[in-house]
Amino acid sequence: MSLNVRAELSLSVDGQTATIRGAGRRVRMEMSDTSMLRQIRKTDIPGLEKFGNMPPLTDIPKILAGEGLTLDIADHRGVLLTLGAEADERGWWIPFVGRIEHFSLGGIRAFVRLIFHG
């Protein structure tokens, strides 16, 4: 069975917004500010308990890849991270996060934006 996605969703956390859009096998989440990634990680999303526990952050790229899906996480300047099927398959060790597979950085400038919030 082939999983395809059609998404048009807006998120707001502490006044910051993100949009999730996509069709087919690739989805893009564009954030107003890179610090929103940390805020999303700390936020309990109502209703998810109906579907069971949220997988650990380190498992999400592997789950996406297993379904043949790709998630690009971006800000207004471009892609910061790519997770899933079209990301780098080798594993990365990220301090305070752990080992992540199927994960790619959008380049050195994306890395700097993530570290220094913009």
Side-chain angles (χ1 to χ4, degrees):
M1 182 194 317
S2 178
L3 179 64
N4 285 296
V5 175
R6 179 151 179 82
E8 181 80 31
L9 178 68
S10 293
L11 300 173
S12 180
V13 179
D14 293 335
Q16 294 185 5
T17 60
T19 57
I20 300 172
R21 291 187 179 102
R25 306 190 69 62
R26 187 172 214 110
V27 177
R28 179 181 176 108
M29 181 173 98
E30 190 162 329
M31 303 173 295
S32 57
D33 187 279
T34 58
S35 65
M36 191 171 185
L37 278 177
R38 287 182 187 84
Q39 291 173 325
I40 289 172
R41 226 177 123 199
K42 295 178 195 175
T43 303
D44 289 327
I45 300 173
L48 276 185
E49 64 275 355
K50 295 176 189 175
F51 302 104
N53 293 331
M54 183 75 165
L57 180 66
T58 54
D59 288 351
I60 292 172
K62 191 174 181 179
I63 292 167
L64 289 169
E67 295 297 332
L69 300 174
T70 300
L71 171 64
D72 292 318
I73 299 174
D75 65 3
H76 64 281
R77 294 181 189 166
V79 174
L80 299 161
L81 304 169
T82 298
L83 312 175
E86 293 187 31
D88 193 345
E89 289 187 28
R90 70 182 170 146
W92 291 79
W93 177 260
I94 300 176
F96 309 109
V97 174
R99 183 174 177 75
I100 299 181
E101 296 174 1
H102 302 283
F103 167 90
S104 296
L105 281 169
I108 190 69
R109 291 181 184 198
F111 176 73
V112 170
R113 290 195 317 272
L114 284 166
I115 297 298
F116 297 107
H117 307 290

